[in-house]
Amino acid sequence: MAEGGGRRVVAVGAGLAGLGAARRLRGHGSLRLLEAVARVGGRVCTRPFASGLAEMGAHWIHGPSPGNPVFRLATSYGLLGPEAAQEENQQVEAGGHPPLPSVTYGSSGRPLSSQVVSEARDLFDALLASARAFQGAAEPPAPSVGQYLRAEITRRVPALGGGEEDAQRLQLAVLAACLKLECCISGTHSMDLVALEPFGEYVSLPGLDCTFPGGYSSLPDRMLSALPEGTVLLNKAVRTIRWRGSFHEEGDEARDFPVQVECEDGDTFLADHVIITVPLGFLKEHHQDFFQPPLPERKVEAIRRLGFGTNNKIFLEFEQPFWEPQQQLLEVVWEDESALEEPSADLEANWFKKLIGFVVLQPPEQHGHVLCGFIAGKESEYMETLSDAEVLSTMTRILRTLTGNPCLPAPRSVLRSRWHSAPYTRGSYSYVAVGSSGKDIDVLAQPLPEDPEDPRPLQLLFAGEATHRTFYSTTHGALLSGWREAERLNQLFEATGPAPRL
């Protein structure tokens, strides 16, 4: 169709939501996808490291089963390994916590008894499951998941560790580690920030979480190659989206566009419809200048109330493994901590204590001997300000403490993510914070203008993980949201035909 005739669509952000929308759109005249950085994928970002690959962002397909569109798409592109295709793996109910063979190191320099650890973990898992039961409750027992869990743990302290004081103290330390892991999963600084009542709205899909043998970025790369050449413009950061306007191209006064997208390099794009897929972290920081006129108050309130936090990774490459071949997860428990006490606020002295431990990258034949540490919250953001050398020496010190081996060789190299510092992301993913609810996610997803009778409908559409009410924080939520907005436009195009020439 000629440039002038059909509906003109611009999508902002070439992550899974933007790429997914672009693949689904039909019946438009032209489509441009504007991406601020030099690559597609957004928070899916694979980098070479050691002898293999490091996932700086999304790591697993959570719930790789037929109900997961990322799994279906990756399978159709032939991007997954043989074990992901096994029916029995697709039916496992992992509940978002992959069960990896693990060892738990205590800060006293010895592995902790697996019985103590699993006793505390089973209690925590049961309490966490019970925290999902308050959806729709008029008066939930606490405002936040963290406060609820602490109250429930406090009630059970007398029975912990068979009532023996040292055993009790150790169980409370393991429970503190469980809370930190939950911070990584929720992408938050503290579970005290995560709202209790809507906590159960998030849906975990069945399936044993799996990774991409050729890197998660192989998925957005394949989605990109399926689009017509020239659709995606890289290094095209958007400065301002002017909507509710009347814009014309030079020499064509007949055609009137309601939206003008202005880029940081001065280029402008006129459009009938703009799909905005930028992260919530970016919207929190820039919405007031990014949209002219500003967004309606309801939408601004939703942006302000919803949570968006940081979860980072620290990859360490070793000459030789100090762990056993069957161990896939090295967990960390600081034995002087308790789930019932506030963690230290001294980031400089204690940031590393927020680290939940390390996943061993598999298989070593592909990756070399690499550990991937996870750390969330303010400590994670502080880590971003340190040099590689500082992070490497701190990690070496911790591992020597945990293993009780003062001569443990330092890692050969380090690589870490810095999602909070990334100017177009400003964090990792969204959560439903205290003071917000799933309704805020729906408000964020609502297209503008709000009036369904507006003669120029769907000027601004919103997609991205933070706009999916039950799959927020996931790649499948992002992909589904992009498809959702594309279908919204497809229905409009089918109902109205080509754009009028006024």
Short mmCIF file of all heavy atoms in Angstrom, two decimals, residues 34 51 104 133 166 425 439:
data_model
loop_
_atom_site.label_atom_id
_atom_site.label_comp_id
_atom_site.label_asym_id
_atom_site.label_seq_id
_atom_site.Cartn_x
_atom_site.Cartn_y
_atom_site.Cartn_z
N LEU A 34 10.66 2.50 16.46
CA LEU A 34 11.78 3.35 16.87
C LEU A 34 12.41 2.80 18.15
O LEU A 34 11.72 2.67 19.16
CB LEU A 34 11.30 4.79 17.09
CG LEU A 34 10.48 5.41 15.96
CD1 LEU A 34 10.05 6.83 16.33
CD2 LEU A 34 11.26 5.41 14.64
N SER A 51 33.45 -18.59 27.79
CA SER A 51 33.45 -19.30 26.51
C SER A 51 32.04 -19.44 25.97
O SER A 51 31.81 -20.13 24.98
CB SER A 51 34.08 -20.69 26.69
OG SER A 51 33.33 -21.43 27.63
N THR A 104 23.72 -24.89 50.33
CA THR A 104 23.52 -23.61 51.01
C THR A 104 24.71 -23.33 51.92
O THR A 104 24.96 -24.09 52.86
CB THR A 104 22.21 -23.63 51.84
OG1 THR A 104 21.14 -24.01 50.98
CG2 THR A 104 21.93 -22.26 52.44
N ALA A 133 -3.85 -15.64 48.82
CA ALA A 133 -5.28 -15.97 49.02
C ALA A 133 -6.15 -14.77 49.36
O ALA A 133 -7.33 -14.93 49.64
CB ALA A 133 -5.40 -17.02 50.12
N ASP A 166 19.49 -22.06 69.19
CA ASP A 166 20.41 -21.94 68.06
C ASP A 166 19.75 -22.36 66.75
O ASP A 166 19.92 -21.74 65.71
CB ASP A 166 21.67 -22.80 68.29
CG ASP A 166 22.63 -22.12 69.27
OD1 ASP A 166 22.35 -20.96 69.63
OD2 ASP A 166 23.62 -22.75 69.67
N THR A 425 15.54 2.46 30.57
CA THR A 425 14.89 1.35 31.29
C THR A 425 14.64 1.71 32.75
O THR A 425 13.53 1.61 33.24
CB THR A 425 15.77 0.07 31.21
OG1 THR A 425 16.25 -0.07 29.88
CG2 THR A 425 14.97 -1.14 31.60
N LYS A 439 -6.00 -2.89 39.07
CA LYS A 439 -6.74 -1.88 38.28
C LYS A 439 -5.78 -0.87 37.67
O LYS A 439 -6.00 -0.36 36.57
CB LYS A 439 -7.76 -1.15 39.16
CG LYS A 439 -8.95 -1.98 39.59
CD LYS A 439 -10.09 -1.06 40.07
CE LYS A 439 -11.19 -1.86 40.75
NZ LYS A 439 -10.93 -2.10 42.19
#
